[in-house]
Amino acid sequence: MKVLGLETSCDETGVAVVEVASNGRLRLLSNIVASSLDLHIQYGGVVPEIAARSHIEVMLPVMQKALDEAGCSWDDIDAIAVTQGAGLLGSLMIGVLTARTLAIALGKPLYAVNHVEGHIYANFLTETALNYSLPQSPPEFPMLGVIISGGHTQLVLWEDHFKYRMLGQTRDDAVGEAFDKVARILGLPYPGGVSVSKLAEQGDPFAFKLPKAKLDKPYEFSFSGLKTAVLRAAQEVTGNDYSLPSTALPALLTERQKADISASFQRVACDTLVEKVILAHGEFHPRSVIIGGGVAANQELRRQLSERLPLPIEYTDQKLCTDNGAMIAALGAFHHLRQRSQADPHTLEPKPNLVM
Ligand code: KG4
Ligand code: ZN
């Protein structure tokens, strides 16, 4: 059984084919991602109109490449899965309309998938002939999912597929958003997670004392205070007061200071996540802990988790942490296997604010 997954929630056009192997495991047959990132960099963030137009331009060739890489034709595809939300309306629209058209033209079942949930399902891909480093075995239930992306920071406890409980989420900025904002303060390119973590390798993670948010609810997060503390630290270290606009900072900070701030911020952001994961592990005793979303690619986070979590943890390939069609196809495969309700290809609409 093969599922084609379509992802267009933001600036990545992702199409992938996932097969349910005879042993029930998920095999990644192809995963093609075309990003319009280059077109957004000069604006310091994703421009929705540009992203939507790019999806239109590349959708057909990306789909064809995904079929070619998987070595199959449309006849071999048993179901279509598409990201319905959350995401940018214009971007989601292109994926949803493509999926609806395919489902009608080919007469295949259509599944509407939650993007945020999809990030966790990237970890269910355990087999491939492609050049990806995948976990040895799929996660087991109960499973603690740590969803950390540009738009979400959530701790979710899964009892089984589609049976989960939200333990807590962020009250303000998502952790990926904090990386992006810190990058802006330091004058580093978007996406901030990549540039901050790269520069952090050369910095001293203890050079700056940055605060961790103290919240009364143990599984909630807050990253806006940490971001402001980074701004204050940068203003102080350049000998200025807090009235200095952040736009003036990149030119005043030395490379050393930028590296030290990056490393200190990254240490505290990761420590905050790991602390709560350990707490939840102690309370709920999951058999697996899984991280998903763009920030799951972060090496410092992986290092801290592996070192401190009293449970062996497997990570998926970094390429499957950021947005891709494979995670949507993987979650779609379980929709199909569990006979979840199919979407109506004549009426399915994108939901930009879809929540778990
Ligand atoms: O999951 P994703 O591709 O898109 C969303 O659904 O939001 O996540 C993008 C986020 C961005 O905020 C980016 O800065 C962050 O993931 N990110 C990272 C790393 N790579 C991407 N954050 C920390 N370390 C990384 N290596
Ligand atoms: Zn995402």
Side-chain angles (χ1 to χ4, degrees):
M1 197 271 284
K2 294 186 182 70
V3 180
L4 181 109
L6 294 163
E7 155 61 33
T8 64
S9 66
C10 191
D11 58 336
E12 268 102 15
T13 314
V15 184
V17 180
V18 164
E19 179 179 39
V20 182
S22 50
N23 58 3
R25 291 196 175 200
L26 299 194
R27 185 193 307 275
L28 180 63
L29 299 184
S30 67
N31 186 41
I32 307 296
V33 179
S35 175
S36 56
L37 181 66
D38 288 353
L39 304 174
H40 306 286
I41 280 180
Q42 57 177 314
Y43 304 102
V46 175
V47 182
E49 290 79 6
I50 295 177
R53 189 169 329 133
S54 299
H55 288 307
I56 299 175
E57 285 168 6
V58 303
M59 181 53 88
L60 292 178
V62 168
M63 281 199 302
Q64 190 56 52
K65 268 194 187 166
L67 287 178
D68 292 347
E69 186 173 69
C72 60
S73 70
W74 286 115
D75 288 342
D76 303 318
I77 301 296
D78 298 286
I80 312 277
V82 65
T83 301
Q84 184 185 23
L88 303 169
L89 176 62
S91 289
L92 290 166
M93 185 74 87
I94 310 306
V96 166
L97 286 177
T98 306
R100 284 171 53 174
T101 309
L102 289 173
I104 294 169
L106 304 168
K108 313 272 183 189
L110 175 63
Y111 297 97
V113 161
N114 183 316
H115 174 88
V116 181
E117 219 175 310
H119 272 301
I120 288 298
Y121 275 74
N123 294 276
F124 281 88
L125 295 160
T126 55
E127 324 243 311
T128 190
L130 305 172
N131 185 23
Y132 284 78
S133 106
L134 301 180
Q136 298 279 311
S137 46
E140 292 178 62
F141 298 104
M143 163 178 90
L144 178 65
V146 187
I147 302 167
I148 36 181
S149 68
H152 294 83
T153 308
Q154 301 180 335
L155 280 177
V156 185
L157 189 67
W158 268 267
E159 235 174 83
D160 192 3
H161 296 292
F162 309 108
K163 253 185 111 177
Y164 55 75
R165 173 149 78 96
M166 181 76 63
L167 301 181
Q169 50 192 319
T170 183
R171 290 186 181 177
D172 39 59
D173 293 350
V175 60
E177 194 180 350
F179 269 93
D180 296 335
K181 287 179 175 171
V182 166
R184 254 179 192 252
I185 293 170
L186 303 180
L188 304 176
Y190 179 87
V194 177
S195 49
V196 168
S197 58
K198 190 146 178 263
L199 195 56
E201 287 169 17
Q202 294 152 39
D204 172 4
F206 295 95
F208 289 86
K209 231 177 151 269
L210 299 170
K212 261 190 283 175
K214 292 209 167 39
L215 305 169
D216 43 356
K217 299 210 174 118
Y219 301 121
E220 281 195 353
F221 298 89
S222 166
F223 288 101
S224 78
L226 176 58
K227 170 203 66 194
T228 307
V230 164
L231 174 63
R232 299 287 176 249
Q235 288 163 325
E236 275 175 21
V237 80
T238 54
N240 287 283
D241 65 22
Y242 297 161
S243 64
L244 183 81
S246 63
T247 45
L249 283 167
L252 298 176
L253 289 161
T254 65
E255 281 308 300
R256 172 91 238 157
Q257 288 167 336
K258 287 183 188 178
D260 285 347
I261 292 175
S262 295
S264 302
F265 160 76
Q266 178 175 255
R267 178 181 60 81
V268 174
C270 293
D271 185 28
T272 304
L273 294 169
V274 172
E275 218 168 57
K276 293 188 186 246
V277 173
I278 292 172
L279 194 69
H281 173 263
E283 181 171 353
F284 301 104
H285 310 291
R287 294 182 68 180
S288 298
V289 172
I290 294 303
I291 59 174
V295 184
N298 189 277
Q299 292 297 345
E300 169 63 12
L301 176 69
R302 291 177 175 210
R303 190 191 63 74
Q304 285 196 26
L305 264 181
S306 296
E307 223 172 81
R308 296 167 57 192
L309 187 71
L311 180 80
I313 175 164
E314 287 199 276
Y315 303 103
T316 192
D317 200 291
Q318 284 182 308
K319 296 193 287 288
L320 294 176
C321 292
T322 42
D323 294 348
N324 62 80
M327 66 189 207
I328 303 305
L331 178 51
F334 286 105
H335 275 271
H336 194 60
L337 290 169
R338 296 289 172 112
Q339 300 177 324
R340 304 274 298 173
S341 63
Q342 295 177 18
D344 182 342
H346 295 279
T347 58
L348 182 69
E349 292 285 348
K351 287 193 179 157
N353 301 316
L354 186 65
V355 290
M356 277 186 71

